[in-house]
Amino acid sequence: RGTLTSSESVYVPSLKDWHHDRNVATSKFYTKDLLAALRRPLAAAPLRFEPGLPTVAVHVRRGDLKRGDERATNNGYYFDLIERLRKFVQNADIHLWGTMEGTKADRAKDHREWKQSDFDAFMLKGMKLHLDPDDIMDAWAHMSRAHVLVMSPSAFSYVPAVLNPNCVIYHGKIENHLDGWLDGHEELHRKPENSLLKGCLARGLAKLTESAKF
């Protein structure tokens, strides 16, 4: 935005073709220059990842949903993915972002559908929790720069997923996924010898030092 004048015209291509025809390349809309500009504000943000380790960011959507909502993906999906991932990168530094804070209507009634205890199982699995983050940009910086991003069915994780050039694992119900993203549900139904996860991880960890490679 700082490079544009108040009267400058900006061309934003329509997403209509991409929405209706998945054969249209995503690069037609998310060009290299556009992605570079969008990544720039997040590139300088300090990260809490352990230096030199493979990093994994996980988004678990909870706060704005009621229990039983199909978008509140069950814990087992995430646990199974992380277990499979750890077979390739045992030393991964895994961080999870989620919220307990509900909708505006819930807050008005001082009601919370989800509690800290709903995330305890993730902590017991060795994940570092970041719940109800005050700084959205901090969360997006970590998700967009992690070697691996495990998404939820949520626009909140879709934004940093578009900016993440590494290994992105999406929930199978997301229609507008980008080229190269890995369908987590399909992956869990594959036999280990047919897994596509290792290839995704190889791309995600390509810039990591030799000592941290798997």
Side-chain angles (χ1 to χ4, degrees), residues 9-46:
S9 298
V10 178
Y11 170 66
V12 179
S14 171
L15 294 178
K16 181 179 178 181
D17 290 343
W18 183 41
H19 181 76
H20 293 290
D21 184 359
R22 292 298 299 148
N23 293 318
V24 176
T26 57
S27 58
K28 177 179 178 181
F29 305 100
Y30 295 112
T31 65
K32 291 183 178 180
D33 289 344
L34 174 60
L35 290 174
L38 294 174
R39 288 171 181 147
R40 201 168 295 126
L42 302 174

Side-chain angles (χ1 to χ4, degrees), residues 63 97-102 112 114 119 130-135:
W97 280 263
T99 60
M100 296 173 287
E101 185 175 342
R112 280 196 173 194
W114 305 89
F119 293 89
H130 308 277
L131 303 179
D132 292 328
D134 294 326
D135 188 350

Side-chain angles (χ1 to χ4, degrees), residues 167-187:
C167 177
V168 174
I169 303 174
Y170 73 98
H171 190 282
K173 295 179 181 179
I174 296 177
E175 294 182 359
N176 294 330
H177 55 85
L178 269 60
D179 303 331
W181 289 7
L182 180 65
D183 185 327
H185 279 286
E186 289 186 358
E187 172 62 24

Side-chain angles (χ1 to χ4, degrees), residues 73-87:
T73 308
N74 67 78
N75 291 358
Y77 166 78
Y78 297 102
F79 295 161
D80 291 345
L81 270 179
I82 294 302
E83 181 180 353
R84 179 168 288 211
L85 188 152
R86 279 178 166 153
K87 291 179 180 179

